[in-house]
Amino acid sequence: MKRALRMLGRAALVLGVVLAAFVLALVLTALRTPLPAPLSEERQSTSVEIVDRGGALVREVRTSDLALSRPVKLEELAPSVVPALLAAEDARFFRHPGLDPFAMARAFFQAVVHRRIVSGASTLTQQLARTVWERPKTVRGKLQEMALALRIDATLPKRRILAEYLSRVEFGPGLRGIDAASRYYFDKPASALDLAEAATLVSIPRGPTLYDPRRSPVPVTRRRDRVLERMRSAGLAEDAAIERAHAETVSLHRRFASGGVEHLSLGLARGTIPTGLGAVGPLRRVETTLDAALEREVETLAKRAMADLEGVDATALAAIVVENRTGEVLAYVGSPDYFDEKAGGANDGVRALRQPGSTLKPFVYGAAMERLGLTPGTLLPDVELTLETPEGPYRPRNYDGRFHGPVRLRHALANSLNVPAVDTAEHVGPGTVLEFLHRAGIRSLDASPTHYGAALALGDGEVRLAELAEAYVALARGGEHVPLSVVRRAWTADGRLVSRSDATPERVFDPRTVALLTDVLSDDHARASSFGRDGELAFPFPVAAKTGTSKGYRDNWAVGFTREVTVAVWVGNFDGSPMTGSTGVTGAGPLFHDVLVAAMRGREPAPLVPRAGLVEVEVCSLSGALPGKGCTHRTHELFRAGTEPRARCEMHVTLRVDPKNGLLAGPGCPDAVERTFEVYEPRFSAWAASAGRPAAPTASSPRCPVSNVAGPLARVAAVRYPEPGQSFLLDGATRGHQEIVFAARPSPSGGPVRFVLDGRPLARVAAPYELPWVLVPGRHRLEVESDGTRGVPVLFEVADGR
């Protein structure tokens, strides 16, 4: 007996020595173990809340390791959270040094008796250690984990350890921290959890997949009930509260919006889309400018439109809605489905570079109005045009394959004719067009003017849909540019509030220029010959709109505005493959129409075209000049005051003709009749002949000869541009380079003409009778000389803009 006792004593002594050595080794290891960086820095990677302008959550963007993560402080939690956690995982948390020897002993003896692991012995501190440090799955790794738990407990206060646990431990697949889980499962912050919900969530870390409330509601409910009973036994909750919690079912909610704002949300969270807040560091919550209700409606409309576009081989689209007063983005759809890998849905069509087609034409004509003094009534040539480029001759064509001869600027822009736009861009200069586009916010066109050439008028370059919207917002604001904003304010990861600073508006166009452009873009009658009436560009309220189609049918665009909002839509394929015969009006037009109607719902449309500084004048529909006797087709045109036409139409002449043969009739024909004919300048002669336009007779009728056959058609050469009384503003930034192009109408002989400026002869030129001239400040007198005759002088002025 004594011998047995001695042996038992020796065994106990050996065990004691081993345990002491074990504890000493743990302590020494703990002393040498540094605190993991995540705990020493007191900083945690956090997911970013993206909310709309009213604070409604539209998306929560995960951290770099794809987890929803939210750090918490104990004072931010519901009162039942910590008691439930202690009951579930570590009842002696406040009484042990990071390791619980009683739990370890219990787990050991249970394993011996049952020959399997019945319960774990890990403390909350050990679980936190595993979360911030990935240990090897070996005995040595387990010992290192225990040493780290001792180090954490010795270094950090108990409340800090609890806060770190509740912020960092996995509370479900891809959910880090109890607040992220609370919002994901119950649509509420952890501060609003009731007892049943708190017990449910603290049950999950034991097995985040096993106890996932969405996939395994029964197992998680059983574990919740065990946690509640432990709380009852420990006196951590009253019996009545526990009974109510037992009676609750696990009811899950989730308010995250579905749809297409992934591009904007990810761009903001990752810093690829500017916030306008400056360098503020990691963000926790971003209040965007989005209108969540409108965003959802635009997403729905986009998916519906995508289904209709399958027949034209289009697989992608994008849309953006902007409030004109502030420049704030109200809706942003980068693609119909971010997760559609086949269609490249992860590409952001709002920010992708694509060829804009004809959507830049308003800015070409706006530049020409500002620099060359063009008006909506200015006559432009839609005839065969050849421009020499470094790549060879360039011959623009219209989409209908036809030339239309002399057209007024209003008709050319409203019907998106290509040739007059290219001709105008060539005269005003690609550099000038680029200057205005840059002012309007289109920054992607960053190559030299010679790189684009006059083809810039047809979208020879690549822009972003957001930039195009920004430029049209400038038009909607009367020519005043403001950058687009997608963020109002944000909260940084360390809790600071940062608000957006509004940019100072910059002038792009004179308001009267924009008023004229807007009037043209909203003229449903003027565009009817190309786009028809009551189509996708017709609305129950005033809208200025423009469509575009890039070459090869690779891009469809529709963009326009009311006084309140601007909408821009792109349709195409992210891989650049062409669509089948789809144009801006047929491809992007239907979605543009529906989105603009949705964006204007509940708004009172303001008048679109301000008339201040404008005058309305009746003009000849063909020539744009004041109507004469033969102008049977007339229309009313808007002009900036002082630029309205003063000359009468010379394209219509009324002649006496012999009704028997249609030739010029002299006094000897008592039955002669008066007929009106169109007379074209030489630059339009070839077009008129090919178009079969009836020519005025040039021969005399034998029955009643005319003594002077040329008399009825005789005209002296005259200045065609500039117009009488026109004024130009000399921009100081382009002094010495700013030009206008003098233009003349020749005499009937079609010979060369000479320009005479202020009494000094300039160059002698042949067709097309044009001469570039660098602007010089002052009042000037321009005349044209031909066949020994000098025409009526035109007075104009160049004002110094310095």
Side-chain angles (χ1 to χ4, degrees), residues 74 82 85-86 90 92-100 123-125 128 149-150 152-166:
L74 294 188
V82 171
L85 176 64
L86 296 178
D90 196 346
R92 284 179 291 277
F93 173 75
F94 285 101
R95 300 193 297 274
H96 63 63
L99 301 177
D100 187 350
T123 63
L124 290 175
T125 315
L128 176 61
L150 290 174
I152 292 173
D153 196 87
T155 306
L156 302 180
K158 289 285 190 179
R159 290 180 59 83
R160 168 78 186 282
I161 295 172
L162 282 175
E164 294 287 352
Y165 178 96
L166 290 166

Side-chain angles (χ1 to χ4, degrees), residues 626-686:
L626 295 177
K629 177 183 177 182
C631 300
T632 56
H633 296 286
R634 307 180 181 192
T635 187
H636 285 84
E637 187 58 89
L638 284 179
F639 300 89
R640 289 176 60 166
T643 67
E644 60 270 25
R646 292 175 172 83
R648 291 285 172 182
C649 173
E650 294 185 345
M651 293 182 69
H652 291 99
V653 294
T654 301
L655 305 175
R656 294 182 75 251
V657 297
D658 185 340
K660 297 184 181 300
N661 52 35
L663 300 177
L664 293 172
C669 283
D671 58 345
V673 295
E674 286 191 342
R675 290 180 183 171
T676 299
F677 297 90
E678 296 173 357
V679 179
Y680 295 97
E681 302 171 20
R683 60 177 175 160
F684 296 122
S685 298

Side-chain angles (χ1 to χ4, degrees), residues 62 68 171-173 175 180-187 200-201 204 208-221 250-256:
R62 295 173 182 264
L68 291 177
F171 277 79
L175 298 171
S182 178
R183 293 172 187 270
Y184 181 83
Y185 290 123
F186 299 126
D187 189 21
T200 299
L201 293 184
I204 296 174
T209 301
L210 174 64
Y211 296 118
D212 182 349
R214 294 194 182 279
R215 298 180 179 180
S216 309
V218 174
V220 77
T221 300
V250 178
S251 180
L252 305 178
H253 303 277
R254 193 180 180 193
R255 68 177 178 179
F256 297 162

Side-chain angles (χ1 to χ4, degrees), residues 385-396:
L385 175 66
T386 301
L387 299 177
E388 294 299 327
T389 72
E391 291 75 30
Y394 171 51
R395 298 181 178 89

